[in-house]
Amino acid sequence: MTGDLSPIDKAKYAAARRAADMVQDGMRVGLGTGSTAAWMVRRLGERVQQEGLRIKGVPTSTRTAQLARELGIEVVSLDQAGWLDMTIDGADEFDGDLNLIKGGGGAHLQEKIVATASDQMIVIADAGKEVETLGAFPLPVEVIPFGWQTTRTLIQETLDTMDVLGTSAALRMNGEAPFVTDEGNHILDLHLQRIGNPRQLALVLNQVPGVVENGLFIDICDKVVIGHGDGRTELRDVNEGTIELDQTVDSGENLFSDLVD
């Protein structure tokens, strides 16, 4: 039952459900990665099974692909799909301009490629993800394994010239071993505390040798669906400058009880 969920999980549930219900028959949809995105995939799977919804899903990670297939969603590659009608994904932080930090799940490279190959990107998040200034959440930077320590040194030297409060860069671990992305790379988490100029930082980081991609999504997100703990949702459209409020109806069952952060 959705009544058994915590307020944060209710917020995620509400946002995921509203965004998934925006998908129309015949669409090609980018499927994000993370706990909130997984709930969205579950809702799409329910629509496929109960409504006969026909979509082609382009997953942004191997775990999303596995979940989508288990739920009966047709999974295709981005090359097969060509161009997408929309991508729905979560975010670790978003600001008033809908700039994002993503990559807490380690999939921001594929997520950014898929999102930019879409007519629109819709972010789903609980209200706690909204910030005045990006940077409290560590910024993920994907780097190739070869010479990663040199890359880290170069990044930290670069950060000394940027409008940030912190400059530490930690190698993300998976137990005793470095975390490995779907592309076989490592991730450095930058603890910046505050990012004064996200656009500049995104451009500069990608010039550092060894960097594959950073987790700043600038001018990519078109809409955000914000979920609240009481089931309300808020849809913000950065292009239209509009805000739509809605009250999500409790379906009477928790489709996502097996999904946790």
Side-chain angles (χ1 to χ4, degrees), residues 20-218:
D21 287 350
M22 295 166 65
V23 175
Q24 299 177 12
D25 195 59
M27 280 188 168
R28 293 162 294 179
V29 183
L31 307 175
T33 297
S35 61
T36 310
W39 291 8
M40 174 270 301
V41 175
R42 288 269 177 165
R43 172 58 180 164
L44 287 177
E46 181 189 49
R47 293 189 62 197
V48 167
Q49 295 166 18
Q50 297 183 359
E51 303 173 17
L53 179 72
R54 295 167 300 171
I55 62 171
K56 296 182 185 294
V58 176
T60 55
S61 66
T62 54
R63 57 188 182 275
T64 295
Q66 179 180 354
L67 177 61
R69 290 191 180 99
E70 291 173 355
L71 296 170
I73 298 171
E74 181 181 356
V75 172
V76 298
S77 69
L78 181 58
D79 289 336
Q80 290 172 320
W83 193 261
L84 307 181
D85 297 288
M86 68 171 63
T87 288
I88 305 175
D89 205 348
D92 298 303
E93 284 186 347
F94 67 92
D95 65 15
D97 295 322
L98 301 194
N99 293 317
L100 320 170
I101 286 182
K102 289 180 53 57
H108 61 275
L109 173 57
Q110 289 191 26
E111 289 172 336
K112 187 174 284 190
I113 294 172
V114 170
T116 54
S118 306
D119 285 339
Q120 60 177 328
M121 180 191 187
I122 302 173
V123 161
I124 48 178
D126 62 89
K129 298 296 195 303
E130 183 173 12
V131 297
E132 183 174 343
T133 304
L134 298 177
F137 191 90
L139 175 64
V141 177
E142 186 161 342
V143 300
I144 65 171
F146 175 81
W148 72 264
Q149 294 187 56
T150 298
T151 302
R152 179 173 64 179
T153 298
L154 293 172
I155 289 174
Q156 289 175 316
E157 291 176 351
T158 299
L159 291 175
D160 286 333
T161 67
M162 296 288 101
D163 184 8
V164 296
L165 292 182
T167 59
S168 66
L171 180 67
R172 186 178 298 184
M173 303 297 290
N174 182 16
E176 299 296 319
F179 177 89
V180 178
T181 69
D182 281 352
E183 290 73 35
N185 297 317
H186 296 332
I187 288 182
L188 296 174
D189 288 311
L190 311 187
H191 297 266
L192 309 178
Q193 302 176 47
R194 175 186 174 278
I195 302 173
N197 190 332
R199 186 184 307 276
Q200 179 190 44
L201 182 61
L203 292 172
V204 170
L205 283 174
N206 280 6
Q207 301 306 309
V208 176
V211 169
V212 179
E213 188 55 82
N214 67 81
L216 284 166
F217 283 51
I218 310 298

